Amino acid sequence: MTGNEDGTGRLLLAAAPIGRADDASGRLRAALADAEIIAAEDTRRLRRLAADLDVPISARVVSYYDQNERARAAELIEELRAGRDVLVITDAGLPGVSDPGYRLVTAAVAEGVPVTALPGPSAVTTALVVSGLPTDRFCFEGFPPRKPGERARRLAALAAEPRTMVFFEAPHRLAATLKAMADAFGADRPAAVCRELTKTYEEIRRGPLGDLAGWAAGGVRGEITLVVGGAPETPGLSEPADLAAAVAERESTGTPRKQAIAEVAKENGLPKRVVYDAVVSGAG
């Protein structure tokens, strides 16, 4: 890779295989061999991948992971300004998708540095297409919060989400997360646990969230991607009395009125002002 006509370098985001080295593209092999600077989430895993691909690495390799991302991004921007190209690669999938990369891309865009990508494997879309759940509309929610209270609040906010949802989760937190999802979305909500995607012991387990939570309680290993069906379509409320009653029901369980109004408005596809007016008129 070489610099651009304006003297700046180019930022290249390279997708790494999510399980099998032979899923790497020819373009990835060539880019690794030609790179000037490689910013890797784990330098040891990068060299192992290069060895598996029989690709010699002549680039300067630097670490680029969550804890040093902010400081390293500033350093890499200086290299790009100086006309040197930088290739970013994470342990698996595309940089920036629940992996380091976003800060560097944002800084590069602000500096007018060209940013491009080598597309390739992604756990998000791989899990989605094998899940058996609708793929026409979906959203990626990353890792749920680790703390139970924060996780419960995040999932409650997603309870009415109509699109298929994709999450990442650590195996030791899977059972607790599935139980929290069953509580927030309903035990009958369809889902799929995708474990060790593309690897030798790949497993796709499909079923209602309640059943999957029971299965995961026995312990699960490996890389996990969760796919959860969206909320089923239900006729929305429209009458002021019904809207006010829905808000009152939430308030009775401890939800603050402002939050209850926002939730009822979202679930029924209405502006918050409409629900607020219904509550005020009902109180009067």
Side-chain angles (χ1 to χ4, degrees), residues 64-194:
Y64 181 59
Y65 52 91
D66 288 336
Q67 286 71 28
N68 77 347
E69 182 179 7
R70 190 182 300 275
R72 188 70 83 190
E75 175 187 323
L76 294 173
I77 286 295
E78 291 303 317
E79 297 286 4
L80 289 160
R81 282 178 180 155
R84 286 179 281 275
D85 293 340
V86 175
L87 182 150
V88 178
I89 188 166
T90 57
D91 292 347
L94 268 171
V97 181
S98 280
D99 275 324
Y102 169 74
R103 285 191 177 93
L104 181 56
V105 171
T106 300
V109 170
E111 292 288 334
V113 171
V115 180
T116 188
L118 283 179
S122 166
V124 175
T125 51
T126 301
L128 178 69
V129 297
V130 301
S131 68
L133 295 168
T135 59
D136 53 336
R137 298 181 65 223
F138 72 94
C139 58
F140 175 58
E141 290 293 330
F143 284 90
R146 297 184 180 189
K147 296 182 178 179
E150 293 178 6
R151 181 171 56 213
R153 287 190 289 274
R154 173 75 62 80
L155 295 177
L158 293 171
E161 171 58 62
R163 296 171 294 179
T164 299
M165 296 170 280
V166 184
F167 301 83
F168 289 160
E169 189 52 290
H172 63 279
R173 291 194 296 269
L174 178 62
T177 292
L178 286 169
K179 184 180 184 306
M181 287 179 171
D183 292 341
F185 303 154
D188 293 332
R189 182 78 70 91
V193 176
C194 304

Side-chain angles (χ1 to χ4, degrees), residues 234-268:
T234 56
L237 302 176
S238 58
E239 294 297 323
D242 293 334
L243 295 169
V247 172
E249 181 180 357
R250 282 170 168 74
E251 286 187 281
S252 69
T253 63
T255 302
R257 174 168 289 189
K258 183 177 180 181
Q259 180 181 338
I261 288 173
E263 290 175 359
V264 171
K266 181 177 179 181
E267 288 179 10
N268 295 281

Side-chain angles (χ1 to χ4, degrees), residues 21 42-54 57:
D42 185 325
T43 58
R44 290 172 299 180
R45 292 187 67 164
L46 165 66
R47 295 192 185 282
R48 189 180 312 133
L49 174 63
D52 289 342
L53 299 177
D54 195 24
I57 298 290

Side-chain angles (χ1 to χ4, degrees), residues 207-221:
L209 280 169
D211 291 354
L212 292 173
W215 161 76
V220 179
R221 294 183 178 182

